[in-house]
């Protein structure tokens, strides 16, 4: 019903920047909360940032002041601007959306993820 596709990952030097994008498509009536999660090898998946349909944001302590989440409701797209990247930010970043379909059912959807590698 709903598909999420991430883009923008890659290899960057410490201190560099990346912008991740996640576009939702399909039978969408409304998207409530959208978020970015990340998972490094051997570690548990963690919430990086989230944003509500009204624009309320939430960040993990480790990324506050460095990352900014935003969304374009008209395009059903969420972004993650990542600045001052550190090696410990290396992970697969996945997009998440709590969406209401045109059939009025609410479901949590996940993208396949995009790799972010921070290394010199």
């Amino acid at each position: 019903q709903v598909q999420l596709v991430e883009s923008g990952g890659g290899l960057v030097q410490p201190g560099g920047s990346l912008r991740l994008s996640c576009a939702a498509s399909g039978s969408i009536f409304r998207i409530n909360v959208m978020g970015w999660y990340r998972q490094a090898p051997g570690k548990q998946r963690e919430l990086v940032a989230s944003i509500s349909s009204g624009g309320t944001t939430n960040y993990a302590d480790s990324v506050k002041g460095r990352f900014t989440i935003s969304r374009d409701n008209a395009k059903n797209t969420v972004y993650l601007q990542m600045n001052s990247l550190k090696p410990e930010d290396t992970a697969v970043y996945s997009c998440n959306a709590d969406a209401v379909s045109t059939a009025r059912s609410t479901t949590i959807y996940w993208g396949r993820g995009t790799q972010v590698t921070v290394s010199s």
Side-chain angles (χ1 to χ4, degrees), residues 7-76:
S7 62
L11 173 65
V12 296
Q13 303 252 16
S17 297
L18 284 174
R19 190 182 75 159
L20 306 183
S21 299
C22 174
S25 62
S27 303
I28 302 169
F29 177 75
R30 178 182 177 86
I31 301 177
N32 298 317
V33 177
M34 301 188 79
W36 288 96
Y37 289 74
R38 68 185 181 187
Q39 186 170 29
K43 292 188 176 181
Q44 193 172 32
R45 184 174 61 191
E46 64 174 341
L47 175 67
V48 177
S50 65
I51 183 168
S52 72
S53 60
T56 301
T57 59
N58 188 47
Y59 296 93
D61 288 340
S62 60
V63 306
K64 285 182 179 177
R66 299 189 298 121
F67 292 7
T68 302
I69 189 171
S70 61
R71 64 190 286 173
D72 185 334
N73 291 333
K75 297 180 179 179
N76 291 323

Side-chain angles (χ1 to χ4, degrees), residues 66-96:
R66 299 189 298 121
F67 292 7
T68 302
I69 189 171
S70 61
R71 64 190 286 173
D72 185 334
N73 291 333
K75 297 180 179 179
N76 291 323
T77 299
V78 64
Y79 306 93
L80 186 67
Q81 179 66 46
M82 310 165 67
N83 299 326
S84 302
L85 283 162
K86 305 175 181 179
E88 49 263 46
D89 294 319
T90 296
V92 174
Y93 286 70
S94 300
C95 178
N96 162 278

